[in-house]
Amino acid sequence: MLAHNSLLTYSRSACINGTALRGRMKTGVLRRKSIHLRTCPSSTMLKVGFMPKETKVKLAKLVVDVLPGEVGLRLLVNIFPEKIQVVFDGLLNSYKSQLCIALKDEKKASKAVTFIFKDMVKAYIEQFVGTPYEFPSYHKAIREPYDYYQMANMYIGSLIDFDRSIVMYPEQWTKIQNQINEGENVILFANHQSEGDAAFIPLLTEVSHPGLGEKVTYVAGDRVITDLLAKPFSMGKNLLCVNSKKHMNDIPELKATKMKQNLTTIKEMQKKLQEGGFLIWIAPAGGRDRRKADGTLIPDKFDPQAIEMMKKLGTKKSAAKTRFYPLAMATYDIMPPPSSSEKDIGEKRIVNYTGVGLSLGEEIDVSNSGKWAENLGEEADLPVELSEHIWGKVKQEYDKISKYCDPKAEEIVLNAGGVRPIRPPSVPKFD
């Protein structure tokens, strides 16, 4: 593995003038497994080991700019921790193959991949070379000096086939946007299919409902804030950080700490709901949907305790008026998860160029006088019944959009009530 020092030990002349560096690449001085940016005899050596972290980060980013094209990009993989070099290299290959499909031109795809991934590598440098970011219980999206939000939009948005995507009932998004602007809270109960799910509301509503996607706060599990490849993407979103029940006991000695953090997060959530105008996305299933053995894919069942917690927080007397909606997301194939839930961090990444879909259902009255509670017997388990009702509404909406995320499907006609989302300005064109 290439040490940070060897990557960043280079001459001033090579940094200022990329020509010398490119010449060395042609003559084979730079190799995939051993990169030495050699200096001229008269140049001053910059010994990274004795530099402050901020200086290391600046120099590393400068190297990113100097290394030319896709070849240079692939050399940069060596700055990553060894355990994720293979994962990142595989992702790079997968991503390029899909942009070749999207752009129908290998040279254009290579140019696009280089542009997108060099921007991403700069974000990773902050974590690998600089001081790793630690997420508080309530995290606000970091937009400057580096815009992590835009980074995610560019990376994920370039994989979306907008001509095959769908947003059902755009008037529903108008409704919740108005409710938020009036100081009310909105909680979206959603299924969860892809690692990039936090980007799809921003990307698919950016043109039709400007600013709405930037207001969403996601209830995020511990894996999206600890996985080294996912972390920079999470830094670009508003998050309420919790530890998932599915992974609470992965490391027994950390269970008490995790439970304490969850309590802190709940207090932060309660505070924001009291202030009003807060938009929350939560996946009550606690993880991503998985295909069944027969290949079918439907939203995973919801956890009644997660639904009940949000109900209690949203209906407290101290909270601003809070509304609850079911949201279906068809996003599985754009970034398919592993076939089963894994304990270890650092899963293999595969991507596809395909359509995606969102369907926001009608508002749900979660009170015990709502339609979901009609005709229930006295012995009914109300939290379970409410959870089943909300899951049923999400499943109903999901059935309307599931076909839009299949990269192998033929051209798909729009459903009644649906619109094609417009490719937003945050996703650059490489044609």
Side-chain angles (χ1 to χ4, degrees):
M1 182 182 75
L2 174 72
H4 296 152
N5 288 14
S6 66
L7 176 64
L8 296 178
T9 301
Y10 62 102
S11 68
R12 288 176 177 173
S13 61
C15 290
I16 296 171
N17 184 352
T19 304
L21 179 58
R22 293 186 183 92
R24 291 195 176 102
M25 290 189 67
K26 290 179 180 178
T27 58
V29 172
L30 297 181
R31 297 185 178 88
R32 176 72 176 80
K33 290 299 180 182
S34 179
I35 308 171
H36 298 285
L37 305 188
R38 307 206 174 170
T39 66
C40 300
S42 60
S43 64
T44 302
M45 297 294 290
L46 301 179
K47 298 298 184 182
V48 175
F50 301 100
M51 290 182 181
K53 285 186 176 181
E54 289 185 4
T55 304
K56 292 180 184 180
V57 169
K58 289 180 181 179
L59 292 178
K61 289 182 177 180
L62 187 55
V63 172
V64 172
D65 290 331
V66 169
L67 286 176
E70 186 184 340
V71 175
L73 175 62
R74 291 183 180 277
L75 292 173
L76 288 168
V77 174
N78 289 280
I79 71 170
F80 292 177
E82 189 170 7
K83 63 182 179 181
I84 65 170
Q85 285 183 26
V86 175
V87 175
F88 189 84
D89 197 52
L91 171 61
L92 185 55
N93 291 332
S94 178
Y95 197 93
K96 182 182 177 181
S97 72
Q98 295 307 303
L99 284 202
C100 283
I101 294 173
L103 299 173
K104 300 178 175 63
D105 185 286
E106 195 277 336
K107 288 185 178 179
K108 289 181 180 179
S110 180
K111 180 180 178 181
V113 167
T114 301
F115 183 82
I116 293 169
F117 273 68
K118 276 196 172 186
D119 190 57
M120 286 169 52
V121 168
K122 289 181 180 180
Y124 288 124
I125 283 171
E126 292 280 355
Q127 302 304 307
F128 300 155
V129 180
T131 302
Y133 182 75
E134 295 293 334
F135 287 84
S137 290
Y138 175 51
H139 164 80
K140 289 286 290 180
I142 299 174
R143 304 297 302 273
E144 57 183 20
Y146 182 89
D147 194 341
Y148 290 89
Y149 177 88
Q150 171 56 25
M151 179 199 73
N153 278 8
M154 180 166 60
Y155 170 81
I156 297 173
S158 297
L159 291 170
I160 298 175
D161 185 345
F162 286 90
D163 292 333
R164 290 170 51 108
S165 297
I166 187 171
V167 174
M168 293 294 294
Y169 316 122
E171 65 276 7
Q172 287 290 92
W173 295 101
T174 302
K175 184 185 295 184
I176 69 169
Q177 189 170 40
N178 291 336
Q179 290 166 345
I180 292 165
N181 291 339
E182 291 169 3
E184 298 179 351
N185 302 311
V186 171
I187 295 177
L188 306 175
F189 292 120
N191 68 308
H192 178 24
Q193 293 199 329
S194 129
E195 193 174 36
D197 277 353
F200 295 116
I201 296 176
L203 285 166
L204 271 57
T205 65
E206 182 178 320
V207 175
S208 60
H209 298 81
L212 179 62
E214 298 175 53
K215 294 181 179 179
V216 185
T217 296
Y218 302 85
V219 178
D222 52 318
R223 297 175 76 79
V224 302
I225 63 175
T226 55
D227 185 290
L228 292 175
L229 289 183
K231 194 174 180 179
F233 292 90
S234 301
M235 291 168 67
K237 297 294 184 287
N238 305 316
L239 304 178
L240 286 160
C241 302
V242 299
N243 294 280
S244 170
K245 287 174 61 178
K246 289 184 177 181
H247 300 287
M248 185 65 72
N249 296 310
D250 285 357
I251 306 177
E253 55 268 27
L254 293 180
K255 182 176 181 179
T257 301
K258 290 181 177 182
M259 293 179 68
K260 183 178 180 180
Q261 184 188 17
N262 283 0
L263 290 174
T264 302
T265 300
I266 290 173
K267 290 179 181 178
E268 290 285 352
M269 191 184 304
Q270 186 174 343
K271 178 181 177 182
K272 301 304 295 185
L273 291 172
Q274 289 172 351
E275 293 174 1
F278 201 51
L279 173 56
I280 298 177
W281 178 101
I282 182 172
R288 288 169 287 180
D289 303 335
R290 291 326 202 267
R291 288 195 186 278
K292 302 191 183 307
D294 61 1
T296 57
L297 177 66
I298 62 172
D300 276 356
K301 288 287 189 175
F302 291 169
D303 178 5
Q305 292 183 6
I307 299 283
E308 189 67 12
M309 178 189 71
M310 300 307 295
K311 173 185 174 180
K312 288 181 177 179
L313 291 172
T315 57
K316 277 194 171 187
K317 290 183 179 179
S318 59
K321 184 174 180 60
T322 302
R323 300 177 182 273
F324 301 83
Y325 289 85
L327 171 63
M329 304 185 70
T331 62
Y332 184 94
D333 284 298
I334 199 166
M335 293 180 181
S339 57
S340 61
S341 181
E342 300 177 353
K343 282 188 176 184
D344 294 334
I345 299 293
E347 65 190 52
K348 181 180 179 182
R349 263 71 174 192
I350 297 174
V351 299
N352 291 297
Y353 175 68
T354 185
V356 293
L358 298 177
S359 188
L360 183 61
E362 293 290 336
E363 182 180 355
I364 295 175
D365 179 0
V366 299
S367 72
N368 291 351
S369 58
K371 288 185 178 180
W372 65 274
E374 292 178 358
N375 304 317
L376 293 179
E378 292 183 1
E379 297 183 358
D381 188 326
L382 296 184
V384 171
E385 295 293 342
L386 176 58
S387 179
E388 282 294 311
H389 176 79
I390 294 174
W391 177 86
K393 292 296 183 182
V394 171
K395 171 67 165 56
Q396 181 179 322
E397 297 302 322
Y398 180 76
D399 289 342
K400 301 173 185 177
I401 61 174
S402 60
K403 59 186 178 182
Y404 292 88
C405 193
D406 183 357
K408 299 178 182 178
E410 300 296 329
E411 185 175 352
I412 302 170
V413 179
L414 271 176
N415 288 342
V419 298
R420 295 284 189 209
I422 299 172
R423 185 187 183 101
S426 63
V427 182
K429 293 185 178 180
F430 298 96
D431 295 335

